[in-house]
Amino acid sequence: MRAEHCQAAPPRLSFRTRELTVGALEGLALIDLLAGRQDVCSWVHEGRGLIGLGRALAIEAHGDGRIEALRGAWRSVVGAAWWRDALVRPGTGPVALGTIAFSPTSAQSSVLLVPEVLIGLDDDGAWLTTAVRAASDGMEPEHPDPEALIGALVARARDVIDREHAGGGHSGDDAGGDTAVETGALSEEQWCRAVTVTQERMRSGRARKVVLARDVLARPTAPLATGTVLRRLASSYPSTWTFAVDQMVGASPELLLRLRDRRLISRVLAGTARRHAGEDASATARLAAWLEGSEKNNREHELARASAITALEPLCSAVETPTRFVLTLPNVLHLASDVTGVVAGDTGALALVDALHPTAAVCGTPTPAAARLIEEVESMDRGRYAGPVGWVDWRGEGEWCIALRSAQLPAGGVGPHRPARVFGGGGIMPDSDPIDELAETTAKMRPMLGALGARL
């Protein structure tokens, strides 16, 4: 449903949130419930979060005003909705998950999805929300029985997982398989030349930093369910946000924002060092020390941090920027800063997403100039890569990441004739080494390629 139509005539949805009993998941992880499934949503971090099944509503938007259009449509949907929610905590009641195209010129739509079934888990326990179309006669519609529904989901997930184990399925590490990796929009040599061209234009004064991305195609030898890919990502990269919305799938380390009770946090990542397989703690410590002392990486990080602060200050009564730190992930190290603030007025998560995107961490500085250079040299439509992905609730609060370490899977799931587009990018400075930047993009593709079964 187009956002403008949804805002003018919102469908009437009925939501019902019910607490699940202790042990209802029977020892399964939240994301295990997606095993073997295709039409799924996910927002899981260290085992907690939200997973969704099916679609009660999909809202689409394009162009410059795409985020504001989605925000307006969601407010209309909430205004027309009916719901029961005895828990009233983050992620309960009406919730939509979204994925937003990086560029306003992208041919790919930006989407908010309302799942038919949403299961959440936090430190206080689990819950289940169902969404159905409201009855035309104004009577309360019938919702599925939660105990029967969760019982069926758990039984199906256990059956799929048992069959995977019996067949020697992927354990979640980077061992890989027979998935072929093919050239995307640019070959490695062409991409390095694009970096060089970008640096020449930067030295002429057009920009101070430009983030360039590239893509490859991953083609497995057999169909691979989206839920299976997500379980592999969550197993290998539990400290990231394992997300899936409309087949945009990934494991992002970069929290664009979390808004709760008017308090927000935004994690800025810029400046990267690659880790190597088998690296011990002392080697990682030496690498972290090098990263903290790298002039190029520190300049890159400071530009990204400054862009986030500049975007947030007009919308917040207070913004704080603690000292940056090194974030350690299985495949890379990042310079990181957690920017915090108190939101002024009734500004919601989607309005903050609109203000922050695109950050210097995924676009460059100055933003308009960097965006023009990206359009000139990348030779591809990024789609939702490096765009915001996350969720928003009926209050307007929620959590959003930047869609990094990600891939766009084809409708119906990835398979031999339906390759996934896997993305990786890096911040280009005038003194960057193109070969080193290429290696950084390859390192950033490892999570998705490994989850898709590529041999690394």
Side-chain angles (χ1 to χ4, degrees), residues 106-441:
S106 176
Q108 200 155 23
S109 62
S110 299
V111 177
L112 284 181
L113 295 180
V114 178
E116 294 176 323
V117 177
L118 188 74
I119 302 168
L121 178 67
D122 61 18
D123 290 341
D124 294 321
W127 66 90
L128 183 147
T129 299
T130 51
V132 300
R133 291 294 179 113
S136 58
D137 59 5
M139 299 292 289
E140 182 179 345
E142 184 176 351
H143 283 255
D145 176 75
E147 292 184 3
L149 181 55
I150 199 69
L153 292 174
V154 167
R156 184 185 187 279
R158 281 201 178 282
D159 180 60
V160 172
I161 293 169
D162 288 346
R163 282 190 278 111
E164 286 182 355
H165 288 167
H170 195 294
S171 63
D173 58 25
D174 281 318
D178 297 325
T179 292
V181 180
E182 304 170 358
T183 298
L186 296 176
S187 68
E188 293 184 351
E189 294 77 13
Q190 289 170 326
W191 191 82
C192 286
R193 286 199 294 272
V195 171
T196 300
V197 169
T198 301
Q199 290 176 304
E200 292 170 353
R201 297 177 187 181
M202 292 169 72
R203 294 186 190 109
S204 71
R206 289 190 58 182
R208 297 172 64 192
K209 171 188 173 181
V210 178
V211 181
L212 290 185
R214 69 185 186 96
D215 68 337
V216 297
L217 301 179
R219 195 184 299 274
T221 56
L224 189 57
T226 303
T228 301
V229 175
L230 290 167
R231 291 180 60 237
R232 293 175 179 178
L233 287 170
S235 174
S236 297
Y237 300 87
S239 64
T240 65
W241 283 264
T242 303
F243 65 84
V245 184
D246 199 36
Q247 297 300 102
M248 188 64 191
V249 174
S252 179
E254 190 154 0
L255 182 68
L256 183 62
L257 69 93
R258 175 188 296 121
L259 178 64
R260 188 172 300 172
D261 297 328
R262 294 184 58 212
R263 300 195 66 85
L264 74 84
I265 182 171
S266 177
R267 173 165 290 181
V268 177
L269 301 183
T272 304
R274 301 186 304 280
R275 299 184 70 188
H276 301 288
E279 186 175 274
D280 61 18
S282 61
T284 299
R286 289 193 298 272
L287 189 61
W290 173 85
L291 181 60
E292 288 192 288
S294 167
E295 181 184 352
K296 179 262 183 186
N297 283 288
N298 274 279
R299 282 188 286 117
E300 182 182 343
H301 183 80
E302 187 53 38
L303 289 172
R305 187 163 103 151
S307 80
I309 294 168
T310 299
L312 290 173
E313 281 183 332
L315 300 171
C316 296
S317 58
V319 174
E320 297 180 357
T321 55
T323 305
R324 61 150 176 77
F325 59 96
V326 175
L327 178 68
T328 301
L329 298 169
N331 58 326
V332 293
L333 303 180
H334 287 301
L335 293 178
S337 292
D338 285 341
V339 181
T340 62
V342 178
V343 174
D346 62 351
T347 303
L350 280 169
L352 292 166
V353 166
D354 204 3
L356 282 166
H357 179 73
T359 69
V362 294
C363 182
T365 304
T367 300
R372 284 193 294 272
L373 283 173
I374 289 169
E375 294 274 355
E376 292 170 10
V377 303
E378 270 191 358
S379 301
M380 69 175 185
D381 181 347
R382 287 187 179 185
R384 287 98 171 244
Y385 168 72
V389 61
W391 61 270
V392 60
D393 66 12
W394 58 273
R395 307 171 190 83
E397 299 184 346
E399 297 181 338
W400 291 77
C401 271
I402 299 175
L404 305 175
R405 316 299 189 268
S406 57
Q408 181 70 52
L409 307 188
V414 64
H417 306 294
R418 299 188 303 273
R421 284 185 75 201
V422 179
F423 301 90
I428 309 302
M429 304 293 284
D431 54 347
S432 293
D433 177 1
I435 298 299
D436 191 59
E437 297 295 344
L438 176 67
E440 181 178 320
T441 65

Side-chain angles (χ1 to χ4, degrees), residues 10-32:
R12 296 186 65 247
L13 296 179
S14 172
F15 297 85
R16 183 173 294 176
T17 296
R18 310 182 205 190
E19 189 170 19
L20 295 176
T21 59
V22 176
L25 302 186
E26 298 183 16
L28 291 177
L30 185 63
I31 208 158
D32 284 342

